[in-house]
């Protein structure tokens, strides 16, 4: 059974904490990219959360549906303008089915990594493919594992340090695991949150896509079409279901 790491406490501060990370321009670029891949059809977001991307995508005229484990996150989406019109199935996106076929299924912001075993990630690709109509796309945005920043034997990579926050990724290079530790000082109190992930190279994701009957169509370094290259810290990948 998947663990819900996005409980009421995390959901309450989620929008404010991600607003520090994502500019409105990035969100708009993301929505435009996804709208173009939806091509006028319906979209399904795996791990839709509070609708950070789903609502801007809907504002571009795309019918968006979602799957998410966290009732607390989805309650925030449904409380927003237009949010009540976004149907969401509560469940694990590696297994949960929703009605109908979609021209776009998407999974952003490293959320594929919330599935902490290879089997679950493989199942997620299969579930995404199951929801796609022929010619439809599965789009994933995920980090490139930062192993180039680790000396042999080291485990910690910091990616955000300030007077009132520290963010560290703790790598397990044998088990392909990663725990993200977040420390925040709020009202003089130290809040700690640690979430386990599984990292995967782009090539491993390509293999999962092939197992699900999908073909790689695009790999970019970002939502504005940046090239994917040796310096890319993440990628946006698009796999398509053949037209048959
Ligand atoms: C980092 S948030 C991203 C939310 C939204 N996609 C965004 O970009 O702001 C991850 C979301 O995925 C959901 N989630 C994580 N693992 C899940 C799983 N196995 N099945 C369904 N939802 C999951 C969490 O509840 C949370 O809402």
């Amino acid at each position: 059974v998947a663990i819900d790491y996005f409980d009421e406490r995390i959901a309450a501060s989620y929008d404010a904490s991600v607003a520090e990370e994502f500019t409105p321009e990035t969100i708009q670029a993301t929505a435009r990219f996804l709208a173009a891949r939806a091509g006028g059809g319906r979209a399904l977001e795996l791990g839709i959360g509070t609708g950070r991307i789903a609502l801007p995508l809907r504002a571009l005229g795309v019918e968006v549906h979602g799957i998410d484990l966290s009732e607390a996150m989805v309650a925030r989406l449904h409380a927003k303008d237009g949010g009540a019109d976004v149907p969401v199935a509560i469940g694990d996106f590696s297994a949960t089915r929703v009605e109908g076929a979609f021209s776009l299924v998407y999974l952003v912001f490293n959320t594929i990594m919330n599935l902490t075993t290879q089997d679950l990630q493989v199942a997620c690709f299969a579930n995404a493919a199951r929801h796609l109509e022929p010619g439809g796309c599965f789009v994933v945005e995920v980090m490139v594992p930062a192993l180039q920043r680790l000396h042999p034997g080291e485990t910690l990579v910091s990616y955000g340090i300030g007077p009132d926050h520290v963010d560290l990724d703790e790598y397990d290079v044998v088990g392909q695991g990663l725990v993200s530790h977040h420390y925040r000082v709020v009202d003089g109190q130290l809040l700690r949150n640690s979430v386990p992930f599984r990292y995967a190279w782009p090539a491993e994701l390509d293999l999962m896509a092939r197992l699900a009957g999908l073909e790689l169509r695009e790999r970019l370094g970002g939502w504005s079409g940046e090239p994917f290259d040796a310096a890319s810290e993440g990628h946006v990948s698009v796999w398509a279901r053949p037209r048959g």
Side-chain angles (χ1 to χ4, degrees), residues 10-224:
I10 299 297
S13 59
Y14 179 83
D15 282 355
S17 63
V18 296
E20 293 163 12
E21 279 183 64
F22 297 99
T23 63
E25 292 73 32
T26 307
I27 291 174
Q28 277 313 311
T30 307
R32 279 196 301 271
F33 184 101
L34 293 170
R37 274 45 182 199
R42 306 193 314 153
L44 174 65
E45 179 167 359
L46 307 185
I48 192 168
T50 61
R52 180 182 70 93
I53 300 304
L55 290 177
L57 182 58
R58 188 174 173 277
L60 295 178
V62 179
E63 181 184 325
V64 184
H65 295 239
I67 299 176
D68 204 291
L69 265 184
S70 166
E71 308 229 13
M73 293 287 276
V74 173
R76 261 119 193 133
L77 160 64
H78 283 159
K80 292 177 183 172
D81 251 7
D85 299 327
V86 178
V88 180
I90 298 295
D92 182 339
F93 55 55
S94 66
T96 301
R97 298 289 308 271
V98 303
E99 283 290 309
F102 295 82
S103 61
L104 171 71
V105 177
Y106 66 98
L107 181 43
V108 299
F109 197 8
N110 299 326
T111 301
I112 181 93
M113 294 171 56
N114 277 96
L115 299 170
T116 53
T117 68
Q118 189 185 54
D119 281 350
L120 285 171
Q121 292 179 350
V122 166
C124 176
F125 272 80
N127 198 31
R130 224 177 268 135
H131 285 91
L132 285 176
E133 59 193 32
C137 295
F138 182 36
V139 176
V140 171
E141 175 199 29
V142 65
M143 68 186 282
V144 174
L147 298 190
Q148 291 184 81
R149 291 181 57 192
L150 283 179
H151 292 293
E154 285 182 355
T155 58
L156 293 175
V157 173
S158 72
Y159 60 95
I161 296 192
D164 53 9
H165 73 280
V166 174
D167 296 305
L168 294 172
D169 278 344
E170 182 181 5
Y171 280 83
D172 164 9
V173 296
V174 176
Q176 233 171 280
L178 179 166
V179 181
S180 273
H181 300 285
H182 306 281
Y183 303 88
R184 292 270 176 292
V185 179
V186 178
D187 299 332
Q189 277 205 314
L190 181 64
L191 300 182
R192 190 194 138 185
N193 177 34
S194 295
V195 182
F197 293 99
R198 177 179 189 271
Y199 66 80
W201 295 107
E204 187 184 358
L205 300 177
D206 289 342
L207 203 50
M208 294 182 191
R210 276 174 61 184
L211 289 172
L214 305 178
E215 296 169 350
L216 182 65
R217 181 167 290 171
E218 298 173 80
R219 171 154 296 131
L220 301 159
W223 294 111
S224 301

